Amino acid sequence: MIKKNYLLAPGPTPVPSEILLEGARETIHHRTPQFVKILEETLNELKYLFQTEHRVYTLLSSGTGALEAAVTNLLNPGDKAIIVEAGKFGERWREIAERFNVNVVSIKLEWGEAVTPEQIKEAIEKHPDAKAVFTTYSETSTGTVIDLEGIAKVTRDTDVVLVTDAVSALLAEPLKMDEWGVDVVVSGSQKGVMLPPGLAFIALNDKAWKLVENSKNSNYYFNLKAYAKKYPDNPWTPGVNLIYMLRKAIQMVKEEGIENVWERHRILADATRAAVKAMGLELFSKRPGNVATAVKVPEGVDGNKLTKIMRDKYGVTIAGGQEHVKGKIFRISTLGYLSIFDTIVGISALEFVLNELGYKVEFGTGVKAAQEVLFKEVNK
Amino acid sequence: MIKKNYLLAPGPTPVPSEILLEGARETIHHRTPQFVKILEETLNELKYLFQTEHRVYTLLSSGTGALEAAVTNLLNPGDKAIIVEAGKFGERWREIAERFNVNVVSIKLEWGEAVTPEQIKEAIEKHPDAKAVFTTYSETSTGTVIDLEGIAKVTRDTDVVLVTDAVSALLAEPLKMDEWGVDVVVSGSQKGVMLPPGLAFIALNDKAWKLVENSKNSNYYFNLKAYAKKYPDNPWTPGVNLIYMLRKAIQMVKEEGIENVWERHRILADATRAAVKAMGLELFSKRPGNVATAVKVPEGVDGNKLTKIMRDKYGVTIAGGQEHVKGKIFRISTLGYLSIFDTIVGISALEFVLNELGYKVEFGTGVKAAQEVLFKEVNK
């Protein structure tokens, strides 16, 4: 049988052909007025995705590069920072911070839990010398979203800078950087933005920029002062063709309308959640988000085989669990350029594979539940 | 919501990106040893698709061009030919034949019926002066396949040349031109061959070529003697980039294995038939084939709206009925580069639209039936 590829993992996500074709355009030289004009227009438009009036710096790196940029540009060695660890990406904040000798105060939660504004408030009160709070808006490893708006209400009237990793959350979860008062938002290209991997983004408001001005860390490639000096041009070679693609992606998001983009992710996630519940499966997250639905592998089923068969036999790439939940959960993404039928494909493939692995579920059970949600949403 | 395009109409069918990328390669000049070498290799390999050792001429036209080439190269004005008319494409044979002053003996059947070898036998006995029989292997307008092998058994020991329109049938239905003794097979590129429209094919064996040699018809562009003289080169400008794409398509078919390609079409068609029956719908064809499943529009449902909503709201292009069955049937294709999930998408979209149009069907009903067929086939 023909095996088409369905990318239902939380990044990289499918890239629309309109965007791929932009990437296939001729590479021009980056130190030209022609390219700088494209860059300027693109970076201006990029602000819409973050709902900010502040600059969004575009790095040629994966999302992790922008996480490092946030840490090293905001903090000096010995500075205290509160870091929320409730999954792999929270842990990554801590690993980076420790590598740069930050004095880490960790809010360590069980995987699947979501930090609350109250917990952030307590930590700040306990550590009034903390310069920043590092959060993960969508903890992709557990399919959990935090109340970022509520957390920003806690930090906005303090001197503490609120940093959030929105690598997977951008466009998948509502995010109003300026209105909510989130000080630093970090993201990447291969998620909701519908691009291949290669670009990372970091948006900072004035409150955050004051920390950058006082930073004396040893960074070079990710030194944001160098980016600021050259803005909108890049201090180093920018990703010319990725910028073409970004321009097109932003145009598509604007045409769709950012509220509709957020809503689309919510609808597909709702349908996915309804489907897995109808199949008798249990959600892993205590506060499930719209990036990916994390599901507990039912007893008797080999979770590693499940994701492998989904991918190798059916062409449907979902994500397994990471670290200590490897084999214990799987994650079906609803992130990026996906239609309602991508979700139906994912659920129907899951029905196939669960049956193959001994978890008997009547065909159509999950699909029906997903269809009911989708039909209602599409026709309301 | 994001609307992706799902091509479930019997042509054009989806083109794999591997093939599209071949089409994006640099156009070289056609009168060069480089291109003629590509052409020679490609035309040699093309024989595999027809299961023939004879030449397959490649025309730069739609399939209709090759139908005209068959008529004008085989017959002279006044020649008698038996033409089977059981749908729109049978009628096209007659229209072309009449335009070129052929003496047409029509076997006219109800739409949805399939001509039998016995009917062909009777017609030949009644018209021993008929030079050729024109059939439609897959009558796409009704989703009907004929017993081509059985018909070839009737004609192969006579002087009558058996011509078949396999424009949609090629690769979707088993076809062994030489083994069965089909004398002329006509096809096109935008169907099972997985290419965009633009190429048409006509394969002829020695028995058929004798008629060509005696033909005195006024044709020029489609004059096969001109093609034969230049073969493997083309007498007129060939479709350079389409030839690149054809070469890739043939390579993909060879890798899959032609029996597997036939089987793949059979499986998806079986699943589609099971799904529509489970939804309480009725098949239109008396002898359904694997190109497209023609379904009677249930009472009270507007058939024209059905195909329009499928396409405009859900992005799923299926075909409606043509001529006197317009609005009365719809046709879901299983032709070309489709995965099992394309069929599931088509069925789930049909469930949405039928419910919108007042035909109440429980969600998942058709999908479940399709899944049961697909699961069994994929795991056998």
Side-chain angles (χ1 to χ4, degrees):
Chain A
M1 297 303 288
I2 280 172
K3 205 174 69 189
K4 296 191 181 180
N5 291 315
Y6 300 91
L7 270 182
L8 298 179
T13 58
V15 182
S17 56
E18 298 95 307
I19 293 179
L20 288 170
L21 287 171
E22 286 297 307
R25 291 178 55 230
E26 195 181 17
T27 305
I28 64 172
H29 196 279
H30 58 295
R31 303 291 180 213
T32 55
Q34 289 77 11
F35 184 70
V36 174
K37 187 168 178 284
I38 291 172
L39 206 44
E40 183 171 13
E41 284 170 9
T42 305
L43 295 191
N44 268 333
E45 298 291 316
L46 181 57
K47 296 175 178 182
Y48 175 72
L49 273 52
F50 291 75
Q51 295 286 291
T52 186
E53 291 303 318
H54 299 284
R55 286 180 179 179
V56 184
Y57 295 105
T58 299
L59 317 171
L60 193 46
S61 77
S62 77
T64 302
L67 296 181
E68 178 172 326
V71 171
T72 68
N73 283 278
L74 293 166
L75 301 175
N76 286 314
D79 279 353
K80 191 180 264 187
I82 297 161
I83 291 183
V84 180
E85 289 184 78
K88 195 175 170 56
F89 293 96
E91 289 170 8
R92 186 160 302 174
W93 272 135
R94 197 217 344 110
E95 286 167 13
I96 297 169
E98 284 176 353
R99 186 69 58 91
F100 290 93
N101 300 308
V102 171
N103 181 358
V104 172
V105 174
S106 174
I107 302 179
K108 209 168 161 56
L109 305 172
E110 287 290 310
W111 282 38
E113 287 186 4
V115 73
T116 62
E118 293 70 34
Q119 286 169 310
I120 299 291
K121 194 162 186 279
E122 275 168 35
I124 292 175
E125 283 167 0
K126 205 169 157 191
H127 301 279
D129 52 338
K131 288 202 168 162
V133 178
F134 289 81
T135 61
T136 312
Y137 190 11
S138 165
E139 179 51 79
T140 313
S141 62
T142 68
T144 302
V145 66
I146 61 172
D147 176 9
L148 185 65
E149 186 180 5
I151 291 168
K153 276 184 191 151
V154 171
T155 56
R156 65 186 303 168
D157 299 321
T158 70
D159 289 335
V160 180
V161 165
L162 175 60
V163 184
T164 204
D165 164 355
V167 173
S168 65
L170 190 76
L171 295 178
E173 302 285 356
L175 172 60
K176 299 176 178 177
M177 180 172 161
D178 291 357
E179 190 182 317
W180 294 356
V182 183
D183 304 306
V184 181
V185 177
V186 167
S187 196
S189 57
Q190 76 279 21
K191 310 280 184 172
V193 188
M194 309 183 291
L195 298 188
L199 295 182
F201 310 112
I202 180 164
L204 308 95
N205 66 13
D206 296 341
K207 179 176 165 189
W209 194 255
K210 276 186 198 134
L211 290 190
V212 177
E213 278 173 348
N214 293 321
S215 159
K216 293 172 205 73
N217 241 316
S218 319
N219 50 28
Y220 190 88
Y221 185 71
F222 292 126
N223 185 299
L224 293 180
K225 286 193 282 272
Y227 282 83
K229 208 170 154 188
K230 276 281 197 178
Y231 184 91
D233 202 349
N234 263 50
W236 334 121
T237 308
V240 174
N241 292 54
L242 284 165
I243 296 292
Y244 298 161
M245 296 169 93
L246 175 60
R247 182 170 59 168
K248 182 71 184 174
I250 298 168
Q251 188 188 316
M252 286 172 72
V253 170
K254 291 193 97 163
E255 273 167 21
E256 189 176 355
I258 199 163
E259 290 83 3
N260 296 326
V261 174
W262 296 334
E263 184 66 355
R264 153 160 70 76
H265 284 86
R266 200 265 308 156
I267 292 169
L268 296 190
D270 273 352
T272 303
R273 288 186 278 257
V276 294
K277 282 180 193 165
M279 293 159 80
L281 302 172
E282 205 185 326
L283 299 185
F284 177 70
S285 172
K286 301 281 193 301
R287 198 171 188 281
N290 300 329
V291 167
T293 296
V295 184
K296 292 184 187 170
V297 174
E299 201 151 315
V301 169
D302 183 329
N304 296 322
K305 270 194 190 160
L306 187 146
T307 50
K308 193 176 168 346
I309 297 175
M310 285 284 276
R311 183 193 63 213
D312 295 345
K313 184 167 176 181
Y314 293 99
V316 179
T317 302
I318 61 169
Q322 295 166 298
E323 303 195 3
H324 68 277
V325 294
K326 188 171 156 60
K328 292 179 186 160
I329 66 168
F330 60 88
R331 295 170 294 147
I332 306 174
S333 165
T334 40
L335 181 60
Y337 185 68
L338 300 176
S339 79
I340 61 173
F341 296 111
D342 287 309
T343 292
I344 288 174
V345 165
I347 299 300
S348 61
L350 181 61
E351 291 181 359
F352 287 142
V353 177
L354 284 172
N355 275 291
E356 278 184 50
L357 292 175
Y359 181 85
K360 294 301 168 197
V361 52
E362 201 185 342
F363 288 128
T365 308
V367 173
K368 178 189 170 182
Q371 280 179 299
E372 279 166 357
V373 170
L374 296 169
F375 189 71
K376 213 168 124 184
E377 294 284 357
V378 166
N379 290 295
K380 85 179 176 189
Chain B
M1 297 302 290
I2 279 172
K3 206 175 68 189
K4 297 191 180 179
N5 291 315
Y6 301 91
L7 270 181
L8 299 178
T13 58
V15 181
S17 54
E18 297 95 305
I19 293 179
L20 287 171
L21 287 170
E22 287 296 308
R25 291 178 56 229
E26 195 180 19
T27 305
I28 63 172
H29 196 277
H30 58 294
R31 301 292 180 213
T32 55
Q34 289 78 9
F35 185 70
V36 174
K37 188 169 177 284
I38 292 172
L39 206 45
E40 182 171 16
E41 285 170 11
T42 305
L43 294 191
N44 269 334
E45 299 291 315
L46 181 58
K47 295 174 177 180
Y48 175 72
L49 271 52
F50 292 76
Q51 295 285 291
T52 186
E53 292 302 317
H54 299 285
R55 287 180 178 179
V56 184
Y57 296 105
T58 299
L59 317 172
L60 192 47
S61 78
S62 77
T64 302
L67 296 180
E68 177 172 327
V71 170
T72 66
N73 283 278
L74 293 167
L75 301 174
N76 286 314
D79 278 353
K80 190 180 265 188
I82 296 161
I83 291 182
V84 180
E85 288 183 80
K88 193 170 172 59
F89 293 96
E91 288 171 8
R92 186 161 303 175
W93 273 133
R94 193 212 355 106
E95 286 167 14
I96 297 169
E98 285 176 351
R99 187 70 56 93
F100 290 93
N101 301 309
V102 172
N103 181 357
V104 173
V105 174
S106 176
I107 302 180
K108 208 166 163 54
L109 305 172
E110 287 292 310
W111 281 39
E113 287 186 3
V115 73
T116 62
E118 295 67 35
Q119 286 169 311
I120 299 291
K121 193 162 186 282
E122 275 169 34
I124 292 174
E125 283 168 359
K126 204 168 157 192
H127 301 280
D129 52 339
K131 288 201 168 164
V133 177
F134 289 81
T135 61
T136 311
Y137 189 9
S138 166
E139 179 52 77
T140 313
S141 63
T142 69
T144 302
V145 64
I146 61 173
D147 176 9
L148 185 64
E149 187 179 5
I151 291 168
K153 276 183 191 151
V154 170
T155 56
R156 66 187 301 167
D157 300 322
T158 71
D159 289 333
V160 181
V161 165
L162 174 60
V163 184
T164 204
D165 164 356
V167 172
S168 66
L170 190 75
L171 295 178
E173 302 286 356
L175 172 59
K176 300 177 177 177
M177 179 173 161
D178 290 359
E179 190 182 318
W180 293 356
V182 183
D183 304 306
V184 180
V185 177
V186 167
S187 196
S189 57
Q190 76 279 20
K191 310 277 183 175
V193 188
M194 309 183 290
L195 298 189
L199 295 181
F201 311 112
I202 180 165
L204 308 95
N205 65 12
D206 295 341
K207 178 177 166 189
W209 194 255
K210 276 186 198 134
L211 289 191
V212 177
E213 278 174 346
N214 292 322
S215 159
K216 293 175 207 69
N217 241 314
S218 319
N219 50 27
Y220 190 88
Y221 185 72
F222 293 125
N223 185 301
L224 293 180
K225 287 194 282 272
Y227 282 82
K229 209 170 155 190
K230 277 281 197 178
Y231 184 92
D233 201 351
N234 264 50
W236 335 121
T237 309
V240 174
N241 292 53
L242 283 165
I243 296 292
Y244 298 162
M245 296 169 94
L246 175 61
R247 180 171 60 168
K248 182 71 184 175
I250 298 167
Q251 190 188 316
M252 286 173 73
V253 169
K254 290 193 99 165
E255 274 167 20
E256 187 175 355
I258 199 164
E259 291 83 2
N260 296 326
V261 174
W262 296 334
E263 184 66 355
R264 154 161 68 77
H265 284 86
R266 200 264 309 154
I267 291 170
L268 295 190
D270 273 353
T272 303
R273 288 187 278 257
V276 295
K277 282 180 193 165
M279 292 159 81
L281 302 172
E282 206 185 327
L283 298 184
F284 177 70
S285 172
K286 301 281 194 301
R287 199 171 187 279
N290 301 329
V291 167
T293 297
V295 183
K296 292 184 187 170
V297 174
E299 200 151 316
V301 169
D302 182 330
N304 295 323
K305 271 195 190 160
L306 187 146
T307 50
K308 191 176 171 344
I309 297 175
M310 285 284 277
R311 183 192 64 215
D312 296 343
K313 184 166 175 181
Y314 294 99
V316 179
T317 301
I318 62 170
Q322 295 166 298
E323 302 194 4
H324 68 276
V325 295
K326 187 169 160 56
K328 293 180 183 160
I329 66 168
F330 59 89
R331 296 170 293 147
I332 305 174
S333 165
T334 40
L335 181 60
Y337 184 67
L338 299 176
S339 80
I340 62 172
F341 296 111
D342 286 309
T343 291
I344 287 175
V345 165
I347 298 302
S348 61
L350 181 61
E351 291 182 0
F352 286 143
V353 178
L354 284 171
N355 275 292
E356 279 184 49
L357 292 177
Y359 181 85
K360 293 299 166 197
V361 52
E362 200 186 344
F363 288 129
T365 308
V367 172
K368 178 188 170 183
Q371 280 180 299
E372 279 165 356
V373 171
L374 296 169
F375 188 73
K376 213 168 125 185
E377 295 284 357
V378 166
N379 291 294
K380 84 178 178 191

